[in-house]
Amino acid sequence: MKTELEPARLGPVDVLRVGLGGLRARPARVVLSALGIAIGIATMVAVIGISSSGKEDLLRRLDRLGTNLLTARPGDTLFGDKAALPQSAPEMVRRIGPVTAVGATGAVSASVRRTDKIPEEVTHGISVQAATPDLLGTLGVQTASGRWLNAGTARYPSVVLGAEAARRLGLDRAGGQVWIGGRWFVVLGVLRPAELAPEIDRSALVGWDAARRYLGFDGHPTTIYERSADASVNEVRDVLARTVNPEHPEEVQVSRPSDALAAKAAATGAFTGLLLGLGAVALLVGGVGVANTMVISVLERRREIGLRRSLGATRGQVRTQFLAESLLLSALGGAAGVLLGAAVTIGFALWKGWPPVVPGWALGGALAATLAIGTVAGLYPAMRAARLPPTAALATA
């Protein structure tokens, strides 16, 4: 009676032990190969994480600032000249039912300087604008120092500086004086940055009545800001031009400042795609390094392969051993890359003041990509090792 010999079976624990044993025999080469995978995975995770963190910051800013602010500005006339908004336009906008707040500014043909000794042509890019008392509440901007214009101070030579205007004039707090239109104006306050109205940051804002009395302002607004109920923004937008200038609504330009932030959040996707491509190239290079390491490992370990085959190991078991080594090598690099990418994302987000966001799908996708790279990189070396005849392998010097 013949007894057939059955090959020993390798369980999952045995495969793991054999794979780790093969890697421990060449620690320096394993570290260098895993480093290539780690760099590729870290790049991809960091790119996705930083992009997601920046986008989350933009969305939070949108939620905080609101998307219900609309602006109306003069466009061009039929003959190509610059149009003008009616003086009564702000009051007309207030009559729109869903509108909750209205503010306006008007361009003033004057320059602001730190002292009267500075030449008039040196403006530092700062514009002088007349402002209504309710402008600040409409924009949702706060003062960094001092106070805003009110019904009393708006009639006298006083000014509130935007954040950038104050920086360019060398004034970081209220209480000083600046030279506007041939007279001194008292600096009542300095504003915090106006994210939805960056033109305010570069402006020196004087009261509507004071601009008329001291600076020759004609009373025509150049920008009207209005807020309405969130659910009514589109309806208000449809009637705003006709309300501002009933005779020539085509001469009014209506926009929503929050659209710029929303577009910026959407544009991060295109930039992210480009950087992800660079990360994929780095990951591919790492995969080539793993494949090269495994091929050299097969060539160096011919005697080991021949000995295992002579002792009864099947081709499938040899193939499994080398494929397991490739997967473990890639997994080690992938895990290190995920940790490194997450750390870079968190560090960069905290440095920029963003909320750190590392999407779970990015971590899962990175690990899946790692295993895929390990499988592809180890498949050929594993098949080559399994095809080695035991006698030829043992005969190798």
Side-chain angles (χ1 to χ4, degrees), residues 180-200:
I180 303 177
R183 72 167 54 237
W184 291 105
F185 276 66
V186 176
V187 179
L188 283 181
V190 175
L191 300 180
R192 296 186 185 275
E195 295 184 80
L196 290 182
E199 64 276 6
I200 298 298

Side-chain angles (χ1 to χ4, degrees), residues 92 165 167 341:
M92 296 295 292
R167 188 190 66 80

Side-chain angles (χ1 to χ4, degrees), residues 155-181:
R155 294 181 295 171
Y156 299 101
S158 55
V159 60
V160 176
L161 301 175
E164 182 62 22
R167 188 190 66 80
R168 294 179 184 180
L169 290 171
L171 294 169
D172 58 356
R173 63 183 62 190
Q177 289 184 317
V178 291
W179 187 260
I180 303 177

Side-chain angles (χ1 to χ4, degrees), residues 273-332:
L274 174 62
L275 294 180
L276 277 179
L278 297 177
V281 172
L283 185 60
L284 179 61
V285 172
V288 172
V290 171
N292 182 60
T293 297
M294 296 308 301
V295 169
I296 294 175
S297 177
V298 171
L299 295 177
E300 291 179 343
R301 296 162 63 188
R302 284 188 171 187
R303 293 179 63 85
E304 174 191 337
I305 296 170
L307 181 60
R308 290 198 62 209
R309 290 295 308 279
S310 299
L311 293 176
T314 65
R315 289 186 175 183
Q317 290 172 345
V318 173
R319 186 165 51 244
T320 300
Q321 174 189 349
F322 281 87
L323 191 57
E325 289 185 18
S326 176
L327 286 171
L328 286 171
L329 178 57
S330 298
L332 290 174

